[in-house]
Coordinates of all heavy atoms in Angstrom, one line a residue:
M1 N -171.9 -35.7 73.8 CA -172.1 -37.0 74.4 C -171.0 -38.0 73.7 O -170.7 -37.9 72.6 CB -173.4 -37.6 74.0 CG -173.7 -39.0 74.7 SD -175.4 -39.4 74.7 CE -176.0 -39.1 73.0
N2 N -170.3 -38.7 74.6 CA -169.2 -39.5 74.2 C -169.7 -41.0 74.1 O -169.8 -41.6 75.1 CB -168.1 -39.4 75.2 CG -166.8 -40.2 74.7 OD1 -166.7 -40.6 73.5 ND2 -166.0 -40.5 75.6
Q3 N -169.9 -41.5 72.9 CA -170.4 -42.9 72.8 C -169.4 -43.7 72.1 O -168.7 -43.3 71.2 CB -171.7 -42.8 71.9 CG -172.9 -42.2 72.5 CD -174.1 -42.3 71.8 OE1 -174.1 -42.1 70.5 NE2 -175.3 -42.6 72.3
H4 N -169.4 -44.9 72.5 CA -168.5 -45.9 71.9 C -169.2 -47.1 71.6 O -170.0 -47.6 72.2 CB -167.3 -46.3 72.8 CG -166.4 -45.2 73.1 ND1 -165.6 -44.7 72.2 CD2 -166.2 -44.5 74.2 CE1 -164.8 -43.7 72.7 NE2 -165.1 -43.6 73.9
I5 N -168.8 -47.7 70.4 CA -169.2 -49.1 70.1 C -168.0 -49.9 70.3 O -166.9 -49.8 69.9 CB -169.6 -49.3 68.6 CG1 -170.9 -48.3 68.4 CG2 -169.8 -50.7 68.2 CD1 -171.3 -48.3 66.9
H6 N -168.1 -50.9 71.3 CA -166.9 -51.7 71.5 C -167.1 -53.0 70.7 O -168.1 -53.5 70.5 CB -167.1 -52.1 73.1 CG -167.0 -51.0 74.0 ND1 -165.8 -50.3 74.3 CD2 -168.0 -50.3 74.6 CE1 -166.1 -49.3 75.1 NE2 -167.4 -49.2 75.3
C7 N -165.9 -53.4 70.3 CA -165.9 -54.5 69.3 C -164.6 -55.2 69.4 O -163.5 -54.6 69.6 CB -166.0 -53.9 67.8 SG -166.1 -55.2 66.5
L8 N -164.6 -56.5 69.3 CA -163.4 -57.3 69.4 C -162.9 -57.9 68.0 O -161.9 -58.6 68.0 CB -163.7 -58.6 70.3 CG -164.2 -58.3 71.7 CD1 -164.5 -59.6 72.5 CD2 -163.3 -57.3 72.5
V9 N -163.5 -57.4 67.0 CA -163.2 -57.9 65.6 C -161.9 -57.1 65.1 O -162.1 -56.1 64.3 CB -164.4 -57.8 64.7 CG1 -164.0 -58.4 63.3 CG2 -165.6 -58.4 65.3
S10 N -160.8 -57.5 65.5 CA -159.6 -56.7 65.3 C -159.0 -56.8 63.9 O -158.1 -55.9 63.5 CB -158.5 -57.2 66.3 OG -158.1 -58.5 66.0
D11 N -159.5 -57.6 63.0 CA -159.1 -57.5 61.6 C -160.1 -56.6 60.7 O -159.9 -56.6 59.5 CB -158.9 -58.9 61.0 CG -160.2 -59.7 60.9 OD1 -161.2 -59.2 61.5 OD2 -160.3 -60.6 60.1
C12 N -160.9 -55.8 61.4 CA -161.8 -54.9 60.7 C -161.1 -53.6 60.5 O -160.3 -53.1 61.3 CB -163.1 -54.7 61.4 SG -164.2 -53.5 60.7
H13 N -161.3 -53.0 59.3 CA -160.7 -51.7 59.0 C -161.1 -50.6 60.0 O -160.3 -49.7 60.3 CB -161.3 -51.3 57.6 CG -161.1 -49.8 57.2 ND1 -159.9 -49.4 56.9 CD2 -161.9 -48.8 57.1 CE1 -159.9 -48.2 56.7 NE2 -161.1 -47.7 56.7
Y14 N -162.3 -50.8 60.7 CA -162.8 -49.7 61.6 C -162.3 -50.0 63.0 O -162.6 -49.1 64.0 CB -164.2 -49.6 61.5 CG -164.7 -49.2 60.1 CD1 -165.3 -50.1 59.3 CD2 -164.6 -47.9 59.7 CE1 -165.7 -49.8 58.0 CE2 -165.0 -47.5 58.4 CZ -165.6 -48.5 57.6 OH -166.0 -48.2 56.3
W15 N -161.8 -51.1 63.3 CA -161.4 -51.4 64.7 C -160.2 -50.6 65.2 O -159.3 -50.3 64.3 CB -161.1 -53.0 64.8 CG -160.6 -53.4 66.2 CD1 -161.5 -53.9 67.1 CD2 -159.3 -53.6 66.6 NE1 -160.8 -54.3 68.2 CE2 -159.4 -54.0 68.0 CE3 -158.1 -53.2 66.2 CZ2 -158.3 -54.3 68.7 CZ3 -157.0 -53.4 66.9 CH2 -157.1 -53.9 68.3
D16 N -160.1 -50.3 66.4 CA -158.9 -49.7 67.0 C -158.6 -50.1 68.4 O -159.4 -50.8 69.0 CB -159.1 -48.1 67.0 CG -157.8 -47.3 66.8 OD1 -156.8 -47.9 67.0 OD2 -158.0 -46.1 66.5
R17 N -157.4 -49.8 68.8 CA -156.9 -50.2 70.2 C -157.9 -49.9 71.2 O -158.6 -48.8 71.2 CB -155.6 -49.5 70.5 CG -154.4 -50.2 69.8 CD -153.1 -49.5 70.2 NE -153.0 -48.1 70.1 CZ -152.6 -47.5 69.0 NH1 -152.1 -48.2 68.0 NH2 -152.5 -46.2 69.0
G18 N -158.0 -50.7 72.3 CA -159.0 -50.5 73.3 C -160.4 -51.3 72.9 O -161.3 -51.2 73.7
N19 N -160.3 -51.9 71.8 CA -161.4 -52.7 71.3 C -162.6 -51.7 71.1 O -163.6 -51.8 71.6 CB -161.9 -53.8 72.2 CG -160.8 -54.9 72.2 OD1 -160.2 -55.2 71.1 ND2 -160.5 -55.4 73.4
V20 N -162.4 -50.7 70.3 CA -163.4 -49.7 69.9 C -163.6 -49.7 68.4 O -162.6 -49.9 67.7 CB -163.2 -48.3 70.5 CG1 -163.3 -48.2 72.0 CG2 -161.8 -47.7 70.0
C21 N -164.8 -49.4 68.0 CA -165.1 -49.2 66.6 C -165.0 -47.8 66.3 O -165.6 -46.9 66.8 CB -166.5 -49.7 66.4 SG -167.1 -49.4 64.7
K22 N -164.2 -47.5 65.2 CA -164.0 -46.0 64.8 C -164.8 -45.7 63.5 O -164.6 -44.7 63.0 CB -162.6 -45.9 64.4 CG -161.7 -45.9 65.7 CD -161.8 -44.7 66.5 CE -160.8 -44.5 67.6 NZ -160.8 -43.1 68.3
A23 N -165.8 -46.6 63.2 CA -166.7 -46.2 62.0 C -167.6 -45.1 62.5 O -168.1 -45.0 63.6 CB -167.5 -47.4 61.7
G24 N -167.8 -44.1 61.6 CA -168.7 -43.0 61.8 C -170.2 -43.5 62.1 O -170.9 -42.9 62.9
E25 N -170.5 -44.6 61.6 CA -171.8 -45.3 61.8 C -171.7 -46.7 61.3 O -170.9 -47.0 60.5 CB -172.9 -44.6 61.0 CG -172.7 -44.4 59.5 CD -173.6 -43.4 58.9 OE1 -174.9 -43.6 59.1 OE2 -173.1 -42.6 58.1
I26 N -172.5 -47.6 61.9 CA -172.6 -49.0 61.5 C -173.9 -49.4 61.3 O -174.9 -48.8 61.7 CB -171.8 -49.9 62.5 CG1 -172.6 -50.0 63.8 CG2 -170.3 -49.4 62.8 CD1 -172.1 -51.1 64.7
I27 N -174.1 -50.6 60.7 CA -175.4 -51.2 60.6 C -175.3 -52.7 61.0 O -174.4 -53.4 60.6 CB -176.1 -51.0 59.3 CG1 -177.5 -51.5 59.3 CG2 -175.3 -51.7 58.1 CD1 -178.4 -51.1 58.1
V28 N -176.2 -53.2 61.9 CA -176.2 -54.6 62.3 C -177.4 -55.1 61.6 O -178.6 -54.5 61.7 CB -176.2 -54.7 63.8 CG1 -176.4 -56.1 64.2 CG2 -175.0 -54.0 64.5
T29 N -177.3 -56.3 61.1 CA -178.4 -56.9 60.4 C -178.4 -58.4 60.8 O -177.6 -58.9 61.5 CB -178.2 -56.9 58.8 OG1 -177.1 -57.8 58.4 CG2 -177.8 -55.5 58.3
S30 N -179.4 -59.1 60.1 CA -179.4 -60.6 60.4 C -178.3 -61.1 59.5 O -177.9 -60.6 58.5 CB -180.7 -61.2 59.8 OG -180.8 -61.0 58.4
D31 N -177.7 -62.4 59.9 CA -176.7 -63.0 59.1 C -177.2 -63.2 57.7 O -176.3 -63.0 56.7 CB -176.3 -64.3 59.7 CG -175.5 -64.2 61.0 OD1 -174.9 -63.1 61.2 OD2 -175.3 -65.3 61.7
E32 N -178.4 -63.6 57.5 CA -178.9 -64.0 56.2 C -178.9 -62.7 55.3 O -178.3 -62.8 54.2 CB -180.3 -64.4 56.3 CG -180.8 -64.8 55.0 CD -182.3 -65.4 55.0 OE1 -182.9 -65.3 56.2 OE2 -182.8 -65.8 54.1
F33 N -179.3 -61.6 55.8 CA -179.2 -60.3 55.0 C -177.8 -60.0 54.7 O -177.4 -59.7 53.6 CB -179.9 -59.2 55.8 CG -179.9 -57.9 55.1 CD1 -181.0 -57.6 54.2 CD2 -179.0 -57.0 55.2 CE1 -181.1 -56.4 53.5 CE2 -179.0 -55.8 54.5 CZ -180.0 -55.5 53.7
G34 N -176.9 -60.0 55.7 CA -175.5 -59.6 55.5 C -174.8 -60.5 54.5 O -173.9 -60.1 53.7
N35 N -175.2 -61.8 54.5 CA -174.6 -62.8 53.5 C -175.0 -62.6 52.1 O -174.4 -63.1 51.2 CB -175.0 -64.2 54.0 CG -174.0 -64.6 55.1 OD1 -173.0 -64.1 55.4 ND2 -174.5 -65.7 55.8
T36 N -176.2 -61.9 51.9 CA -176.8 -61.9 50.6 C -176.7 -60.5 50.0 O -177.1 -60.4 48.7 CB -178.2 -62.3 50.6 OG1 -179.0 -61.5 51.5 CG2 -178.3 -63.8 51.0
Q37 N -176.3 -59.5 50.7 CA -176.2 -58.2 50.2 C -174.8 -57.7 49.8 O -173.9 -58.0 50.6 CB -176.9 -57.1 51.1 CG -178.3 -57.5 51.4 CD -179.2 -57.4 50.1 OE1 -179.2 -56.4 49.4 NE2 -180.0 -58.4 49.9
P38 N -174.7 -56.9 48.8 CA -173.3 -56.4 48.4 C -172.8 -55.4 49.5 O -173.5 -54.8 50.3 CB -173.5 -55.7 47.1 CG -174.9 -55.4 47.1 CD -175.7 -56.4 47.9
D39 N -171.5 -55.1 49.4 CA -170.8 -54.3 50.3 C -171.3 -52.8 50.3 O -171.3 -52.1 51.3 CB -169.3 -54.3 50.1 CG -168.5 -55.5 50.5 OD1 -169.2 -56.3 51.2 OD2 -167.4 -55.7 50.2
R40 N -171.9 -52.5 49.2 CA -172.3 -51.0 49.2 C -173.6 -50.8 50.0 O -174.0 -49.7 50.3 CB -172.6 -50.6 47.7 CG -173.7 -51.4 47.0 CD -173.9 -51.0 45.5 NE -174.8 -51.9 44.9 CZ -176.1 -51.9 45.1 NH1 -176.7 -50.9 45.8 NH2 -176.9 -52.8 44.4
I41 N -174.4 -51.9 50.3 CA -175.5 -51.8 51.2 C -175.0 -51.7 52.6 O -174.5 -52.7 53.2 CB -176.4 -53.0 51.0 CG1 -176.7 -53.3 49.6 CG2 -177.7 -52.9 51.9 CD1 -177.6 -52.1 49.0
D42 N -175.2 -50.4 53.2 CA -174.5 -50.3 54.5 C -175.3 -49.2 55.4 O -176.4 -48.8 55.0 CB -173.1 -50.0 54.4 CG -172.2 -50.5 55.7 OD1 -172.5 -50.0 56.8 OD2 -171.4 -51.5 55.5
A43 N -174.7 -48.7 56.4 CA -175.5 -47.8 57.2 C -175.9 -46.6 56.6 O -177.0 -46.0 57.1 CB -174.5 -47.4 58.4
K44 N -175.3 -46.1 55.6 CA -175.8 -44.9 54.9 C -177.2 -45.1 54.3 O -178.0 -44.2 54.0 CB -174.9 -44.5 53.7 CG -173.5 -44.1 54.1 CD -173.6 -42.8 54.9 CE -172.2 -42.2 55.1 NZ -172.2 -41.0 56.0
M45 N -177.7 -46.4 54.1 CA -178.9 -46.7 53.5 C -179.9 -47.2 54.5 O -181.0 -47.7 54.2 CB -178.7 -47.8 52.4 CG -177.6 -47.4 51.4 SD -177.4 -48.7 50.2 CE -178.9 -48.6 49.3
A46 N -179.6 -47.0 55.8 CA -180.4 -47.7 56.9 C -182.0 -47.4 56.9 O -182.8 -48.2 56.9 CB -179.9 -47.3 58.2
N47 N -182.2 -46.0 56.4 CA -183.7 -45.7 56.5 C -184.5 -46.2 55.2 O -185.6 -46.0 55.1 CB -183.8 -44.2 56.6 CG -183.2 -43.4 55.5 OD1 -182.8 -44.0 54.5 ND2 -183.3 -42.1 55.6
Q48 N -183.8 -46.9 54.3 CA -184.4 -47.4 53.1 C -184.5 -49.0 53.2 O -185.1 -49.5 52.3 CB -183.6 -47.1 51.9 CG -183.3 -45.6 51.7 CD -182.3 -45.4 50.6 OE1 -182.2 -46.0 49.5 NE2 -181.3 -44.6 50.8
L49 N -184.0 -49.5 54.3 CA -183.9 -51.0 54.4 C -185.0 -51.6 55.3 O -185.5 -50.9 56.2 CB -182.6 -51.4 54.9 CG -181.4 -51.0 54.1 CD1 -180.1 -51.4 54.8 CD2 -181.4 -51.6 52.7
T50 N -185.4 -52.8 54.9 CA -186.5 -53.5 55.7 C -185.8 -54.2 56.9 O -184.8 -54.8 56.8 CB -187.2 -54.5 54.8 OG1 -187.7 -53.8 53.7 CG2 -188.2 -55.3 55.5
P51 N -186.4 -54.0 58.1 CA -185.9 -54.6 59.3 C -185.7 -56.2 59.1 O -186.5 -56.8 58.3 CB -186.9 -54.3 60.4 CG -187.6 -53.1 59.9 CD -187.6 -53.2 58.5
T52 N -184.7 -56.7 59.9 CA -184.4 -58.2 59.6 C -184.3 -58.9 61.0 O -183.3 -59.1 61.5 CB -183.0 -58.4 58.9 OG1 -182.0 -57.8 59.6 CG2 -183.0 -57.7 57.5
P53 N -185.5 -59.2 61.6 CA -185.5 -59.9 62.9 C -184.8 -61.3 62.8 O -184.8 -61.9 61.7 CB -187.0 -60.0 63.2 CG -187.7 -59.9 61.9 CD -186.8 -59.0 61.1
V54 N -184.3 -61.7 63.9 CA -183.5 -63.0 63.9 C -184.1 -64.0 64.9 O -183.4 -65.0 65.2 CB -182.0 -62.7 64.3 CG1 -181.4 -61.8 63.2 CG2 -181.9 -62.0 65.6
G55 N -185.2 -63.8 65.3 CA -185.8 -64.9 66.2 C -185.3 -65.1 67.5 O -185.3 -66.1 68.1
G56 N -184.7 -64.1 68.1 CA -184.2 -64.0 69.4 C -182.8 -64.5 69.6 O -182.4 -64.8 70.8
S57 N -182.1 -64.7 68.6 CA -180.7 -65.3 68.8 C -179.6 -64.3 68.5 O -179.5 -63.9 67.2 CB -180.5 -66.6 68.0 OG -179.1 -66.9 67.9
C58 N -178.8 -63.9 69.4 CA -177.7 -63.0 69.0 C -176.7 -63.6 68.0 O -176.0 -62.9 67.3 CB -177.0 -62.5 70.2 SG -176.0 -63.7 71.1
M59 N -176.7 -65.0 68.0 CA -175.8 -65.7 67.0 C -176.1 -65.4 65.6 O -175.4 -65.7 64.7 CB -175.8 -67.2 67.4 CG -175.4 -67.5 68.7 SD -173.7 -67.0 69.2 CE -172.8 -68.1 68.1
A60 N -177.3 -64.9 65.4 CA -177.8 -64.7 63.9 C -177.7 -63.2 63.6 O -178.2 -62.8 62.6 CB -179.3 -65.1 63.9
T61 N -177.0 -62.4 64.3 CA -176.8 -61.0 63.9 C -175.3 -60.8 63.5 O -174.4 -61.6 63.8 CB -177.0 -60.0 65.1 OG1 -175.9 -60.2 66.0 CG2 -178.3 -60.3 65.8
C62 N -175.1 -59.8 62.6 CA -173.8 -59.6 62.2 C -173.6 -58.1 61.9 O -174.6 -57.3 61.8 CB -173.4 -60.3 60.9 SG -174.1 -59.6 59.4
C63 N -172.5 -57.5 62.0 CA -172.1 -56.2 61.7 C -171.9 -56.1 60.2 O -170.8 -56.6 59.7 CB -170.9 -55.7 62.5 SG -170.4 -54.0 61.9
K64 N -172.9 -55.6 59.5 CA -172.7 -55.4 58.0 C -171.6 -54.5 57.6 O -171.1 -54.5 56.5 CB -174.0 -55.0 57.4 CG -174.1 -54.9 55.9 CD -174.2 -56.2 55.3 CE -174.4 -56.0 53.7 NZ -173.4 -55.4 53.0
T65 N -171.2 -53.6 58.5 CA -170.3 -52.6 58.1 C -168.8 -53.2 58.1 O -167.8 -52.5 57.6 CB -170.3 -51.4 59.2 OG1 -171.7 -51.0 59.1 CG2 -169.4 -50.2 58.8
Y66 N -168.6 -54.3 58.7 CA -167.3 -54.9 58.8 C -166.7 -55.0 57.3 O -167.3 -55.4 56.4 CB -167.3 -56.3 59.3 CG -166.1 -57.2 59.1 CD1 -165.1 -57.1 59.9 CD2 -166.0 -58.0 58.0 CE1 -163.9 -57.8 59.7 CE2 -164.8 -58.7 57.7 CZ -163.8 -58.6 58.6 OH -162.5 -59.3 58.4
V67 N -165.4 -54.6 57.3 CA -164.6 -54.8 56.1 C -163.2 -55.1 56.4 O -162.7 -54.4 57.4 CB -164.7 -53.6 55.1 CG1 -164.2 -52.4 55.7 CG2 -164.0 -53.9 53.8
P68 N -162.5 -56.1 55.9 CA -161.1 -56.5 56.3 C -160.2 -55.3 56.1 O -160.3 -54.6 55.2 CB -160.8 -57.7 55.4 CG -162.1 -58.2 54.9 CD -163.1 -56.9 54.8
K69 N -159.2 -55.2 57.0 CA -158.2 -54.2 56.9 C -157.5 -54.4 55.6 O -157.1 -55.6 55.2 CB -157.2 -54.4 58.1 CG -157.6 -53.8 59.4 CD -156.6 -54.0 60.4 CE -157.2 -53.4 61.7 NZ -156.3 -53.7 62.8
G70 N -157.2 -53.4 54.8 CA -156.4 -53.5 53.6 C -157.3 -53.9 52.4 O -156.7 -54.0 51.3
S71 N -158.6 -54.2 52.6 CA -159.4 -54.6 51.5 C -159.7 -53.4 50.5 O -159.8 -52.2 50.9 CB -160.8 -55.1 52.1 OG -161.7 -55.2 51.0
E72 N -159.7 -53.7 49.3 CA -160.0 -52.8 48.3 C -161.5 -52.4 48.3 O -162.0 -51.5 47.6 CB -159.7 -53.3 46.8 CG -160.5 -54.5 46.4 CD -160.1 -55.1 45.2 OE1 -158.9 -54.9 44.8 OE2 -160.8 -55.7 44.5
M73 N -162.3 -53.0 49.2 CA -163.7 -52.7 49.3 C -164.0 -51.7 50.4 O -165.2 -51.4 50.6 CB -164.5 -54.1 49.6 CG -164.2 -55.1 48.7 SD -164.7 -54.7 46.9 CE -166.5 -54.8 47.0
V74 N -162.9 -51.2 51.0 CA -163.1 -50.2 52.1 C -164.1 -49.0 51.8 O -164.9 -48.6 52.6 CB -161.8 -49.8 52.6 CG1 -161.9 -48.5 53.4 CG2 -161.1 -50.8 53.4
D75 N -164.0 -48.5 50.6 CA -164.7 -47.3 50.3 C -166.0 -47.6 49.6 O -166.8 -46.7 49.3 CB -163.8 -46.4 49.3 CG -162.7 -45.9 49.9 OD1 -162.7 -45.7 51.2 OD2 -161.6 -45.8 49.3
K76 N -166.4 -48.8 49.4 CA -167.7 -49.2 48.7 C -169.0 -48.7 49.5 O -170.0 -48.5 48.8 CB -167.8 -50.7 48.5 CG -166.8 -51.2 47.6 CD -167.0 -50.8 46.1 CE -166.1 -51.3 45.1 NZ -166.2 -50.7 43.8
D77 N -168.8 -48.6 50.8 CA -170.1 -48.2 51.6 C -170.1 -46.7 52.0 O -171.1 -46.3 52.7 CB -170.1 -49.1 52.8 CG -168.9 -49.1 53.6 OD1 -168.1 -48.2 53.5 OD2 -168.9 -50.0 54.5
N78 N -169.2 -46.0 51.6 CA -169.2 -44.5 52.0 C -169.1 -44.2 53.5 O -169.4 -43.2 53.9 CB -170.3 -43.8 51.4 CG -170.2 -43.7 49.9 OD1 -169.1 -43.5 49.3 ND2 -171.3 -44.0 49.2
I79 N -168.8 -45.3 54.3 CA -168.7 -45.0 55.7 C -167.2 -44.5 56.1 O -166.2 -45.0 55.5 CB -168.9 -46.4 56.5 CG1 -170.2 -47.0 56.1 CG2 -168.8 -46.1 58.0 CD1 -171.4 -46.1 56.5
Q80 N -167.2 -43.4 56.9 CA -165.9 -42.8 57.2 C -165.3 -43.4 58.5 O -166.1 -43.7 59.4 CB -166.2 -41.3 57.4 CG -166.6 -40.6 56.2 CD -165.7 -40.7 55.0 OE1 -164.6 -40.4 55.2 NE2 -166.3 -41.0 53.9
R81 N -164.0 -43.5 58.5 CA -163.3 -43.9 59.7 C -162.9 -42.7 60.5 O -162.3 -41.9 59.9 CB -162.1 -44.8 59.3 CG -161.5 -45.5 60.6 CD -160.2 -46.2 60.2 NE -159.8 -47.2 61.3 CZ -159.2 -46.8 62.3 NH1 -158.9 -45.6 62.6 NH2 -158.9 -47.7 63.2
M82 N -163.4 -42.7 61.7 CA -163.1 -41.5 62.5 C -161.6 -41.6 63.1 O -161.1 -42.6 63.3 CB -164.0 -41.4 63.8 CG -165.5 -41.6 63.3 SD -166.1 -40.4 62.0 CE -166.4 -39.1 63.2
S83 N -161.0 -40.4 63.4 CA -159.6 -40.5 63.8 C -159.6 -40.7 65.3 O -160.6 -40.6 66.0 CB -159.0 -39.2 63.5 OG -159.7 -38.1 64.0
Ligands
SF4_1 S1 -167.4 -51.9 61.7 FE1 -168.4 -53.6 62.9 S2 -166.9 -55.2 62.9 FE2 -165.8 -53.4 62.3 S3 -165.0 -52.5 64.2 FE3 -167.1 -51.6 63.9 S4 -168.5 -52.8 65.0 FE4 -166.5 -54.0 64.8

């Protein structure tokens, strides 16, 4: 199965041409959770985390896997970038 996550966040380490996400896996959380948790909390820990509902607003969701291109934090979450 050929699946893509489409994303427009072009300054992310995992973003690639055609507006696709090249992360092996991602996690989407509430903004509040994303703002308060360290970078190491990411998709690899998904089955250990408590769900974070956002009250019906897409504006309150965030991709917790985002990391800026060139950041020294790229390896903190153990997420692999696919080729
Ligand atoms: S990790 Fe998140 S922000 Fe980065 S390219 Fe993928 S979906 Fe977009």
Side-chain angles (χ1 to χ4, degrees):
M1 185 160 50
N2 184 20
Q3 292 184 317
H4 291 291
I5 296 169
H6 299 281
C7 181
L8 305 182
V9 185
S10 59
D11 64 343
C12 176
H13 170 69
Y14 299 105
W15 180 90
D16 209 344
R17 284 188 300 272
N19 293 323
V20 295
C21 173
K22 290 287 191 173
E25 53 193 311
I26 69 168
I27 190 166
V28 177
T29 73
S30 67
D31 283 346
E32 182 180 7
F33 183 88
N35 283 336
T36 56
Q37 297 298 310
D39 286 350
R40 64 181 172 76
I41 306 296
D42 211 293
K44 294 289 186 193
M45 307 176 74
N47 64 1
Q48 305 169 47
L49 301 174
T50 302
T52 62
V54 296
S57 172
C58 70
M59 300 299 290
T61 72
C62 80
C63 176
K64 179 77 175 64
T65 306
Y66 168 85
V67 62
K69 282 180 182 170
S71 169
E72 62 186 24
M73 304 303 281
V74 160
D75 295 328
K76 290 292 181 191
D77 54 14
N78 294 318
I79 304 299
Q80 299 300 310
R81 190 182 194 284
M82 313 304 279
S83 57

